[in-house]
Every structure is written in structure tokens, then in C-alpha cells.
């Protein structure tokens, strides 16, 4: 029994996985920086994001300091009993998160910051430029696996909530 427990601990410490879920804020009402998720589509999408994470462990939820990103992150944080933590520099935040072991985080950003963070992590979001203005249903999952001293990063793009054109 002790040998199995020791083997498990060695495997756990030598093969750690971290996941970061990156999403653009949900649909907003209006076009100004202070606009929140007054559009029913935005509220529905924020709730769909919450539903996506119901069976998943999370260790943190991050958002920029705009109402539309905070309101997108809030339902996820609430269902997990977490606070929405603010950030200003997505590249620095992601670099810090990717150094952590065996953790899962949600990061809510914008059409320009999410692809930038993916590229700064050395990954390809599969398109050039920003997320198109009418796309809100992308969920990017960055996985970092550590095996001994190696870091293996990958990205997966999924959809959540109602499809956008």
C-alpha cells in the first residue's frame, strides 16, 4: 500500500497539468467601454459559461475591469464560490498562471486580448488578428503538461452557448 502511495505521489509531482480557459466577454448592449451585458444574449451566454464549468474544479476566475467582462465571469465565480479577480496585463497574468501546477483558471478578456495572450504563450489561435466582432462562442483551452523538466503546451478551441455567426 505504501509503495502505491509513493508511486502516486511521484507521478503527481513529475506529471502535473494546468488548464487555462480563455473566453471573450459575452454579448453586450451598446458600444461604449462601460457597457455591460444588458443584452439577453449576453446574459444567456454568461450562464452557459457557468453551466460549462459545473462539473469542473476551478482555482481562480480572472477578468479585466470592464462591466462586460466582470459580468461574464461572475456567474462562473459564484457557482464555484470564488471571487472575480481583476487583471490589467493578460500576457503577464497568463505567464504567471502557466507556471502553476495542477490548477484550472478561467480568464475573461476581449476580442484583441484573448488572441494576444494565446500568441504570447507561444501558441496559435488558428487565425490572424482579433476575434471577429460577431463571435462570442469561442472557448480556448490552454493545457500545460509538465513531465520532469519539460513543458508541453497545447491549445484546443471549443464552442459554448448559442452559436454565433
Amino acid at each position: 500500500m505504501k509503495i502505491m502511495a509513493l508511486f502516486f505521489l511521484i507521478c503527481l509531482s513529475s506529471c502535473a497539468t494546468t488548464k487555462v480557459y480563455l473566453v471573450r466577454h459575452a454579448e453586450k448592449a451598446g458600444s461604449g467601454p462601460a457597457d455591460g451585458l444588458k443584452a439577453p444574449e449576453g446574459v444567456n451566454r454568461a450562464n452557459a459559461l457557468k453551466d460549462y464549468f459545473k462539473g469542473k474544479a476551478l482555482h481562480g476566475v480572472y477578468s479585466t475591469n470592464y462591466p462586460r467582462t466582470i459580468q461574464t465571469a461572475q456567474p462562473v465565480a459564484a457557482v464555484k464560490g470564488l471571487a472575480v479577480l481583476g487583471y490589467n496585463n493578460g500576457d503577464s497574468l497568463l505567464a504567471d498562471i502557466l507556471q502553476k501546477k495542477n490548477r484550472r483558471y478561467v480568464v475573461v478578456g476581449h476580442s484583441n486580448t484573448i488572441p494576444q495572450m494565446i500568441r504570447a504563450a507561444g501558441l496559435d489561435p488558428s487565425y490572424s488578428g482579433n476575434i471577429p466582432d460577431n463571435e462570442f462562442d469561442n472557448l480556448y483551452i490552454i493545457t500545460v503538461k509538465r513531465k520532469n523538466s519539460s513543458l508541453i503546451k497545447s491549445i484546443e478551441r471549443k464552442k459554448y452557448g448559442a452559436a454565433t455567426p
Side-chain angles (χ1 to χ4, degrees):
M1 188 68 142
K2 286 183 179 182
I3 293 173
M4 285 186 64
L6 182 60
F7 176 76
F8 178 74
L9 288 174
I10 290 170
C11 183
L12 189 61
S13 66
S14 67
C15 188
T17 301
T18 295
K19 288 192 179 229
V20 183
Y21 301 87
L22 300 165
V23 296
R24 177 187 183 190
H25 62 78
E27 293 90 333
K28 62 180 181 154
S31 59
D35 291 326
L37 304 183
K38 296 175 186 163
E41 300 86 1
V43 173
N44 291 341
R45 185 159 316 278
N47 285 323
L49 187 63
K50 171 191 73 175
D51 293 343
Y52 180 85
F53 287 102
K54 274 192 178 163
K56 295 174 177 58
L58 286 178
H59 300 93
V61 178
Y62 291 90
S63 168
T64 60
N65 293 316
Y66 288 87
R68 61 187 174 263
T69 54
I70 295 167
Q71 291 169 4
T72 302
Q74 188 58 47
V76 174
V79 80
K80 296 299 179 181
L82 299 168
V84 176
L85 303 172
Y87 73 92
N88 292 320
N89 185 319
D91 295 357
S92 296
L93 172 67
L94 192 58
D96 181 54
I97 286 174
L98 294 179
Q99 296 304 311
K100 299 181 186 301
K101 292 182 180 179
N102 294 322
R103 295 284 183 245
R104 292 176 183 237
Y105 298 93
V106 173
V107 178
V108 182
H110 303 271
S111 62
N112 59 335
T113 62
I114 295 299
Q116 171 56 36
M117 284 188 272
I118 293 168
R119 289 182 190 103
L123 297 164
D124 183 4
S126 76
Y127 57 87
S128 61
N130 298 335
I131 297 170
D133 287 342
N134 63 342
E135 282 188 23
F136 296 92
D137 59 350
N138 295 308
L139 174 64
Y140 301 92
I141 305 168
I142 295 177
T143 302
V144 177
K145 293 185 180 185
R146 291 169 179 76
K147 186 159 183 162
N148 301 322
S149 61
S150 299
L151 280 178
I152 303 162
K153 291 188 256 180
S154 64
I155 187 162
E156 179 182 7
R157 182 176 171 188
K158 290 189 168 191
K159 299 289 186 174
Y160 79 99
T164 56

